[in-house]
């Protein structure tokens, strides 16, 4: 390739990559697969490798720096990054407004979620990102330019911008799902976990190695133009410009005409707080008029033109009563904190995760301590820290168990892992989890087969293996306390129905280590039956795009175990479907995103999800503005309100049935 051609190609590839990056990370609406995206990036990398003098700092290949740095430079902010004065109730908000009404006839506001992350300032010169600085002490912060570049929602180059010098401010954060995944991965690698999304954000953005930062699921919402050489009249206009030039702004932002509307929106935000995949700890009210903002100015600490409305705390202190041990599906012993029940955000919390035994030492937690507990939505309640000042002398250290608390077998501590495991494959605790997982909604979806029932089945020697559930007769179930003719028959029916679940669900249901729903989906695309999968060797599995080496290794080892092969044989014998459906060539819902709220009368959630998936659609758990259809059944949750606010397409059960037919 000659240089002239390389220049043209590089330009096109960068434009395409930036476009798809924006679609994926900012609009949340990708239109090509990750594989196709990586192909574009690899192509660009190759050309830049051949023509290194054509590499520019804003090239998408330059997001991740080569070398770790040894420290962060300190940089003074252009203007101090102030904090916001807090209010905790509607009266305080009205007082704030009344003070302003002494100065102005009318005040309209923009209300935004207050994102719980780390504040940062980003400087763009002629549309190019030149600097990123943490809030620090407000006057000076750390130069985190290299790390910021790794965040895919941070534009390296702005689109069609006529501002020569621009400083924007925003909040770097981590989604709740990203946080849960990160902690899971850290646990597997025997590294300390984070107590909450905010600590995870702070800990990640301050890593000296940009490769580690890039692997952390960081994101950013930009909320302010703090300096620009263009005259901007309102905050609303500033947000529109920010979005137009390529920043990610928060979609739940609303311009309101007065304080009462502002209060209503604050209340709405607090209601949907748990449904969001990121933590917000309040709402921010900002006077819309920049002129009025300038007249009001700031105190040394806070602007006088903005205020935050803090939501009820998601943290509380309580006593750690004892530490219980749970034995998981793979035999792993996990400590669970049993707490003096405490209300956090309207929910009573009486248990919190301790992740593993190292964590107890790391956090220096003793039984009887007063601990700070945090919960938020889908994040399992976590112990942030122990309050040392309140520790009593006789509070005891927790002793790591030597035996499995369920079957009394000596536990083992595998060399590179932190986890302590019960090696007894027949341990009732392990069997219970395996059956529970197999029967779970995302796997074989066997209704009416809950923990209590499985426990009793094990106790009564009715099952000693997953496949045994398919050999249960009506009388066996009737022998379990609490079952009557009708409920027993219902359970038999659900078990029978599960024989026809999809191949993907079966793979997930087997509970192979590291094989989650996503891996199961990938595997089911590469193999058409369980027999094919059993015969695949590790090297074949490793070649599957999107499947990690560790997972491939676990799958191969699962199927090299005779007990597991026997289990599969028995499942085949009882008539469980172990192969893929013929692919439905017509995919009318290809790439369409569906969200359910409430329950349908004609279909279970599993059935309706499978129908949508078989037609190429995707089911998502939360609503975003790119959701295509929101299906509303009986007793819908707050998602319905949110869908209405976002103006999404909402279908009731009848309309949904029409659509799928
Ligand atoms: S405005 C002078 N808007 O909250 C204007 N701040 O206590 C101050 N924050 O340091 C910032 N979401 O890091 C603003 N939508 C939002 C915000 C937000 C989160 C953080 C920010 C700031 C702190 C203020």
């Amino acid at each position: 390739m000659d240089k002239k051609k390389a220049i043209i190609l590089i330009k096109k590839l960068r434009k395409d990559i930036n476009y798809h990056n924006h679609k994926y990370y900012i609009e949340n609406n990708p239109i090509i697969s990750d594989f196709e995206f990586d192909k574009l990036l690899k192509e660009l990398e190759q050309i830049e490798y051949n023509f290194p003098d054509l590499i520019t700092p804003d090239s998408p290949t330059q997001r991740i720096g080569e070398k770790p740095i040894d420290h962060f430079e300190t940089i003074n902010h252009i203007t101090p990054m102030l904090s916001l004065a807090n209010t905790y109730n509607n009266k305080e908000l009205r007082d704030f407004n009344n003070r302003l009404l002494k100065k102005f006839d009318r005040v309209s506001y923009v209300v935004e979620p207050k994102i719980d992350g780390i504040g940062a300032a980003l400087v763009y010169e002629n549309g190019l990102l030149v600097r990123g600085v943490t809030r620090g002490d407000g006057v000076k912060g750390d130069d985190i330019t290299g790390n910021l570049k790794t965040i895919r929602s941070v534009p390296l180059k702005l689109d069609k911008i006529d501002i020569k010098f621009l400083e924007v401010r925003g909040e770097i954060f981590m989604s709740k799902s990203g946080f849960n995944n990160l902690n899971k991965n850290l646990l597997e690698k025997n590294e300390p976990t984070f107590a909450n999304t905010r600590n995870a954000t702070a800990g990640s953005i301050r890593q000296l190695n940009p490769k580690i930062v890039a692997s952390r699921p960081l994101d950013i919402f930009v909320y302010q133009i703090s300096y620009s050489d263009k005259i901007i009249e309102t905050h609303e206009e500033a947000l529109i410009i920010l979005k137009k030039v390529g920043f990610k702004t928060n979609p739940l932002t609303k311009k309101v005409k007065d304080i009462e509307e502002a209060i209503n929106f604050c209340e709405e935000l607090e209601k949907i707080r748990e449904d969001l995949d990121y933590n917000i700890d309040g709402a921010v009210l900002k006077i819309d008029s920049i002129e009025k903002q300038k007249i009001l100015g700031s105190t040394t600490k806070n602007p006088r033109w903005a205020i935050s409305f803090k939501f009820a705390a998601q943290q509380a202190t309580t006593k750690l009563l004892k530490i219980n041990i749970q034995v998981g599906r793979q035999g792993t012993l996990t400590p669970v904190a049993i707490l003096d029940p405490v209300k956090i955000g309207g929910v009573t919390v009486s248990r919190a995760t301790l992740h593993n035994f190292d964590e107890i030492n790391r956090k220096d937690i003793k039984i009887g301590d007063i601990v700070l507990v945090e919960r938020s939505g889908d994040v399992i309640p976590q112990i942030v820290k122990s309050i040392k000042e309140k520790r009593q002398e006789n509070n005891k250290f927790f002793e790591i168990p030597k035996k499995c608390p369920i079957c009394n077998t000596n536990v083992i501590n595998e060399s590179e892992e932190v986890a302590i495991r019960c090696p007894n494959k027949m341990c009732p605790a392990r069997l219970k989890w395996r059956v529970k997982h197999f029967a779970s909604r995302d796997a074989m979806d066997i209704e009416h087969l809950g923990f209590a029932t499985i426990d009793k089945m094990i106790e009564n020697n009715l099952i000693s293996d997953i496949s045994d559930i398919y050999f249960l007769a009506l009388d066996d179930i009737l022998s379990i306390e609490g079952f009557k003719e009708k409920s027993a028959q219902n359970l038999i029916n659900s078990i029978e129905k599960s024989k026809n679940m999809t191949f993907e669900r079966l793979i997930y249901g087997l509970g192979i280590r590291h094989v989650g729903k996503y891996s199961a989906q990938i595997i089911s695309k590469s193999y058409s039956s369980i027999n094919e999968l059993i015969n695949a060797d590790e090297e074949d599995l490793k070649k599957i795009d999107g499947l990690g080496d560790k997972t491939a290794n676990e799958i191969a080892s699962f199927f090299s175990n005779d007990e597991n092969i026997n289990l599969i044989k028995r499942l085949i014998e009882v008539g469980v479907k172990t192969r893929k459906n013929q692919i439905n060539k017509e995919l009318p819902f290809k790439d369409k995103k569906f969200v359910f709220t409430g329950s349908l009368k004609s279909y279970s959630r599993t059935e309706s999800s499978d129908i949508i998936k078989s037609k190429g659609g995707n089911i998502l758990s939360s609503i975003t503005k790119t959701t295509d259809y929101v299906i509303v059944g009986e007793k819908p949750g707050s998602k319905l309100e949110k869908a209405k606010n976002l103006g999404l397409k909402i279908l009731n059960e009848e309309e949904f049935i029409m659509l799928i037919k």
Side-chain angles (χ1 to χ4, degrees):
M1 188 188 303
D2 64 22
K3 196 159 182 179
K4 224 164 134 191
K5 194 163 172 221
I7 293 173
I8 297 170
L9 252 175
I10 283 182
K11 196 171 165 204
K12 175 165 180 355
L13 282 166
R14 286 183 188 164
K15 196 171 159 218
D16 287 355
I17 292 168
N18 285 340
Y19 171 76
H20 290 299
N21 190 69
H22 191 276
K23 277 266 163 211
Y24 190 104
Y25 292 100
I26 297 188
E27 291 179 34
N28 223 343
N29 187 18
I31 51 170
I32 59 171
S33 66
D34 293 1
F35 180 73
E36 288 165 300
F37 183 84
D38 287 346
K39 223 170 93 183
L40 292 175
L41 202 60
K42 280 199 189 117
E43 203 179 324
L44 177 60
E45 262 166 13
Q46 186 59 49
I47 305 173
E48 287 184 352
Y49 179 80
N50 293 337
F51 298 92
D53 55 322
L54 296 180
I55 301 176
T56 54
D58 64 318
S59 171
T61 58
Q62 302 303 300
R63 280 202 180 265
I64 309 171
E66 277 301 308
K67 283 192 242 92
I69 53 170
D70 50 33
H71 70 286
F72 295 107
E73 298 292 338
T74 306
I75 292 191
N76 282 334
H77 290 296
I78 300 173
T79 55
M81 284 187 79
L82 302 175
S83 60
L84 292 163
N86 292 325
T87 59
Y88 296 89
N89 54 47
N90 297 348
K91 180 180 175 298
E92 287 173 1
L93 282 179
R94 289 192 184 103
D95 289 347
F96 169 72
N97 185 59
N98 287 337
R99 284 198 298 275
L100 296 173
L101 288 180
K102 286 193 183 130
K103 238 185 156 68
F104 308 111
D105 290 343
R106 274 180 341 112
V107 215
S108 53
Y109 298 96
V110 171
V111 184
E112 304 165 5
K114 186 165 185 294
I115 315 296
D116 195 10
I118 298 295
L122 284 66
V123 177
Y124 288 79
E125 285 174 8
N126 297 315
L128 293 183
L129 173 66
V130 291
R131 203 159 44 254
V133 188
T134 58
R135 175 169 181 265
D137 62 8
V139 175
K140 54 187 186 322
D142 287 334
D143 180 349
I144 50 158
T145 316
N147 287 354
L148 257 183
K149 282 184 165 182
T150 68
I151 304 178
R152 298 306 185 96
S153 46
V154 168
L156 302 181
K157 185 180 176 192
L158 303 175
D159 220 18
K160 299 180 199 97
I161 185 160
D162 56 350
I163 305 178
K164 284 204 170 56
F165 190 93
L166 174 75
E167 190 202 60
V168 302
R169 291 178 179 177
E171 196 80 353
I172 307 169
F173 67 97
M174 192 178 286
S175 69
K176 294 177 192 170
S177 46
F179 165 80
N180 281 335
N181 267 337
L182 172 63
N183 265 356
K184 212 171 112 194
N185 292 339
L186 289 172
L187 266 177
E188 274 178 12
K189 287 192 283 182
N190 190 12
E191 287 177 29
T193 53
F194 291 106
N196 54 42
T197 53
R198 186 172 211 278
N199 292 3
T201 307
S204 298
I205 201 67
R206 299 203 79 266
Q207 289 282 335
L208 295 167
N209 183 349
K211 292 210 168 67
I212 299 183
V213 189
S215 75
R216 300 283 168 87
L218 293 171
D219 206 338
I220 191 169
F221 279 125
V222 169
Y223 54 64
Q224 191 193 9
I225 293 185
S226 40
Y227 187 90
S228 126
D229 49 35
K230 182 185 162 90
I231 293 170
I232 297 164
E233 292 190 350
T234 64
H235 180 61
E236 189 187 29
E237 185 193 334
L239 292 177
I240 293 171
I241 295 175
L242 286 172
K243 186 170 173 197
K244 204 179 96 208
V245 300
F247 289 105
K248 180 160 171 168
T249 52
N250 192 289
L252 299 168
T253 298
K254 191 171 174 179
K255 160 101 186 270
V256 295
K257 66 174 188 312
D258 59 24
I259 193 72
E260 293 310 315
E261 259 191 41
I263 290 174
N264 282 341
F265 192 60
C266 286
E267 285 172 357
E268 245 176 72
L269 285 177
E270 186 158 14
K271 260 192 237 150
I272 62 161
R273 158 187 211 189
E274 302 255 307
D275 298 331
L276 302 175
D277 193 27
Y278 49 88
N279 273 319
I280 63 175
D281 56 355
V284 184
L285 273 67
K286 297 176 183 172
I287 295 189
D288 192 32
S289 152
I290 305 283
E291 196 197 335
K292 285 183 182 145
Q293 288 188 4
K294 284 196 178 134
I295 294 172
L296 288 163
S298 315
T299 68
T300 49
K301 282 198 212 136
N302 316 118
R304 293 193 188 89
W305 46 266
I307 199 143
S308 92
F309 174 75
K310 295 281 267 187
F311 296 156
Q314 302 270 85
Q315 289 188 334
T317 53
T318 187
K319 190 170 178 178
L320 171 67
L321 301 176
K322 60 174 179 164
I323 294 177
N324 275 358
I325 312 278
Q326 244 179 24
V327 184
R329 215 170 75 214
Q330 314 288 352
T332 308
L333 270 59
T334 310
V336 180
I338 305 297
L339 307 166
D340 197 2
V342 61
K343 275 221 160 178
I344 311 180
V347 174
T348 305
V349 174
S350 54
R351 295 155 79 85
T353 178
L354 281 166
H355 297 294
N356 59 39
F357 298 103
D358 271 15
E359 194 92 344
I360 304 175
N361 288 334
R362 224 180 259 137
K363 287 190 173 156
D364 183 19
I365 293 171
K366 285 185 175 183
I367 296 166
D369 278 1
I370 300 297
V371 288
L372 180 65
V373 186
E374 175 165 319
R375 74 165 277 276
S376 78
D378 304 330
V379 175
I380 313 152
Q382 316 261 333
I383 292 191
V384 180
K385 60 176 183 182
S386 160
I387 316 277
K388 302 282 149 46
E389 297 74 26
K390 296 200 177 162
R391 177 171 283 171
Q392 305 284 315
E393 249 176 53
N394 54 356
N395 288 2
K396 282 200 203 70
F397 269 119
F398 173 76
E399 295 227 9
I400 298 176
K402 301 217 163 31
K403 287 179 186 296
C404 169
I406 308 294
C407 67
N408 229 20
T409 308
N410 286 340
V411 294
I412 53 166
N413 191 345
E414 282 166 3
S415 53
E416 341 124 43
E417 305 201 5
V418 237
I420 292 177
R421 291 164 182 255
C422 164
N424 174 12
K425 291 218 169 75
M426 302 309 285
C427 174
R430 290 180 68 171
L431 177 60
K432 177 172 87 173
W433 281 100
R434 290 188 70 184
V435 178
K436 174 82 183 118
H437 175 76
F438 185 80
S440 65
R441 191 148 117 176
D442 292 329
M444 304 299 266
D445 193 30
I446 307 179
E447 263 186 285
H448 318 291
L449 190 54
F451 263 136
T453 306
I454 300 170
D455 259 345
K456 289 192 189 121
M457 285 177 173
I458 297 173
E459 243 170 64
N460 297 1
N461 288 326
L462 291 172
I463 56 171
S464 59
D465 171 326
I466 292 176
S467 64
D468 287 340
I469 56 174
Y470 291 105
F471 292 93
L472 292 169
L474 193 68
D475 280 347
D476 294 327
I477 296 177
L478 279 170
S479 73
I480 301 171
E481 194 191 310
F483 273 93
K484 301 236 160 57
E485 195 74 35
K486 184 151 183 258
S487 49
Q489 191 56 52
N490 282 343
L491 178 53
I492 291 275
N493 294 348
S494 326
I495 293 174
E496 194 56 31
K497 198 166 134 199
S498 75
K499 289 182 180 171
N500 277 316
M501 279 297 158
T502 58
F503 181 43
E504 175 185 329
R505 283 170 174 278
L506 174 68
I507 299 172
Y508 173 63
L510 290 175
I512 305 168
R513 246 182 131 196
H514 303 319
V515 177
K517 282 182 277 184
Y518 178 65
S519 309
Q521 198 180 354
I522 299 180
I523 298 164
S524 77
K525 282 188 180 145
S526 303
Y527 298 96
S528 60
S529 71
I530 199 88
N531 281 331
E532 260 187 36
L533 181 59
I534 289 174
N535 292 322
D537 64 28
E538 194 174 328
E539 291 315 307
D540 288 339
L541 290 158
K542 280 184 181 161
K543 281 186 206 134
I544 300 180
D545 199 27
L547 204 70
D549 286 1
K550 228 166 146 186
T551 316
N553 175 278
E554 289 291 346
I555 301 169
S557 100
F558 183 90
F559 290 117
S560 64
N561 178 320
D562 284 348
E563 276 177 52
N564 293 328
I565 296 294
N566 286 335
L567 164 68
I568 303 289
K569 279 187 187 152
R570 284 192 300 273
L571 290 175
I572 295 174
E573 191 187 317
V574 293
V576 171
K577 194 175 87 185
T578 53
R579 44 175 41 280
K580 214 158 51 179
N581 286 345
Q582 285 301 341
I583 302 214
N584 187 349
K585 289 221 174 57
E586 274 174 53
L587 294 172
F589 300 156
K590 188 164 186 307
D591 298 331
K592 292 272 181 268
K593 297 179 190 145
F594 288 74
V595 173
F596 285 97
T597 177
S599 51
L600 301 180
K601 282 182 273 175
S602 326
Y603 296 104
S604 72
R605 188 62 69 81
T606 313
E607 285 166 334
S608 45
S609 302
D610 284 348
I611 296 172
I612 291 172
K613 281 198 209 157
S614 73
K615 293 176 190 284
N618 295 314
I619 317 289
L620 296 158
S621 55
S622 58
I623 285 184
T624 68
K625 63 178 193 297
T626 63
T627 305
D628 294 290
Y629 294 101
V630 179
I631 316 297
V632 181
E634 278 178 357
K635 298 210 186 116
S638 57
K639 285 181 199 162
L640 174 56
E641 196 59 31
K642 194 173 162 196
K644 281 185 188 160
N645 285 339
L646 292 174
L648 300 176
K649 189 150 188 64
I650 300 173
L651 302 182
N652 62 24
E653 179 156 354
E654 255 171 45
E655 291 165 328
F656 171 63
I657 294 174
M658 294 277 287
L659 181 77
I660 57 178
K661 295 251 155 90

